[in-house]
Amino acid sequence: MNPKLVLFDLDGTLLNTIADLSEAVNHALKLRDLPQHSLEEITKMVGHGVRNLIMQALPAELRDDTATVDAVLADFTDYYFAHIDVYTQPYPGIPELIATLHSHGVLLAIASNKFQAGTEYLIKEFFLGIPFVAVLGNRPGFPLKPDPEIVGEVLRKAGVNREEAVMVGDSPTDMRTAANGGIRGVAVGWGYRDMREIEGITVVETAKELQKLLLP
């Protein structure tokens, strides 16, 4: 494959963040004596931005109540940012993969639906010293994936053509983002969605396998 640029999703692809996300969601719900969710349930809710996560976590009758959604989201964000790396860790082999790609001159970028401040914090926490050409998350005024705008923004920052770029992610949203942006997509098998049953995509099961695909 040998791309010049690799765009990585963050949650479920580079980092296992679900335990900290789950703790924060349930904390915000518990403050209001609302029903809480299992780790498995919250895993199915993530990937479309934190506001969408909170709306799904709320009882159905409260999801259209903007004031409630705003308040729960604020409590979630405060708690999550204060406890963002209690349980979060890179998936096996990921730090070594990132370092190897960088050492081979591959440009690296983050394209996430996680809120921007959280995205930046975790990249600095776990990948300090890696000069990502872009670290992009959920920002006001910018559409979420699978809108291809984030792909175009990264390509412009990197100065790389579409055919020279690959997106790596753990969800159908990531693969749609790649397709919508006109770049290749590779799915990982260790994330929050089971990608093995989706036809027509490349799925890798380990960081070593991903390295061999990207650096043949």
Side-chain angles (χ1 to χ4, degrees):
M1 192 171 275
N2 209 23
K4 290 185 178 180
L5 168 68
V6 181
L7 296 78
F8 284 99
D9 172 55
L10 184 61
D11 297 50
T13 300
L14 297 183
L15 301 178
N16 187 349
T17 60
I18 196 64
D20 287 323
L21 288 168
S22 181
E23 291 281 328
V25 169
N26 283 328
H27 168 81
L29 295 173
K30 186 177 181 179
L31 290 176
R32 293 162 177 80
D33 294 321
L34 295 172
Q36 298 178 52
H37 298 280
S38 68
L39 189 69
E40 182 180 359
E41 289 170 335
I42 291 178
T43 299
K44 296 176 181 178
M45 300 177 188
V46 299
H48 305 284
V50 289
R51 188 175 187 86
N52 182 275
L53 169 60
I54 294 303
M55 290 178 69
Q56 290 188 75
L58 284 169
E61 64 271 17
L62 294 177
R63 292 172 187 169
D64 293 328
D65 184 337
T66 302
T68 296
V69 174
D70 289 345
V72 176
L73 178 58
D75 288 334
F76 161 85
T77 303
D78 288 345
Y79 184 91
Y80 181 63
F81 206 72
H83 303 83
I84 195 170
D85 55 359
V86 174
Y87 302 109
T88 292
Q89 289 292 329
Y91 286 100
I94 287 297
E96 294 82 2
L97 168 67
I98 295 298
T100 298
L101 291 174
H102 172 56
S103 71
H104 281 74
V106 178
L107 301 176
L108 305 170
I110 302 298
S112 175
N113 276 347
K114 192 181 201 74
F115 65 103
Q116 183 67 25
T119 300
E120 292 177 353
Y121 181 93
L122 289 175
I123 290 301
K124 290 178 182 177
E125 174 78 7
F126 291 104
F127 302 104
L128 185 65
I130 300 296
F132 290 91
V133 296
V135 176
L136 304 180
N138 181 2
R139 299 158 291 158
F142 290 84
L144 294 172
K145 298 181 298 185
D147 189 286
E149 183 171 332
I150 196 168
V151 173
E153 186 175 354
V154 172
L155 292 174
R156 288 191 296 272
K157 289 178 179 290
V160 169
N161 296 323
R162 295 182 190 277
E163 61 271 16
E164 299 171 318
V166 174
M167 179 155 196
V168 178
D170 73 309
S171 72
T173 295
D174 294 317
M175 297 303 98
R176 287 197 297 270
T177 304
N180 293 342
I183 65 175
R184 292 169 290 179
V186 176
V188 302
W190 56 77
Y192 302 154
R193 301 288 184 270
D194 187 354
M195 303 295 288
R196 299 169 186 85
E197 297 181 0
I198 301 177
E199 296 182 1
I201 64 171
T202 301
V203 182
V204 295
E205 298 295 342
T206 66
K208 278 290 187 184
E209 186 179 344
L210 179 57
Q211 179 176 315
K212 290 179 181 177
L213 183 66
L214 298 175
L215 296 173

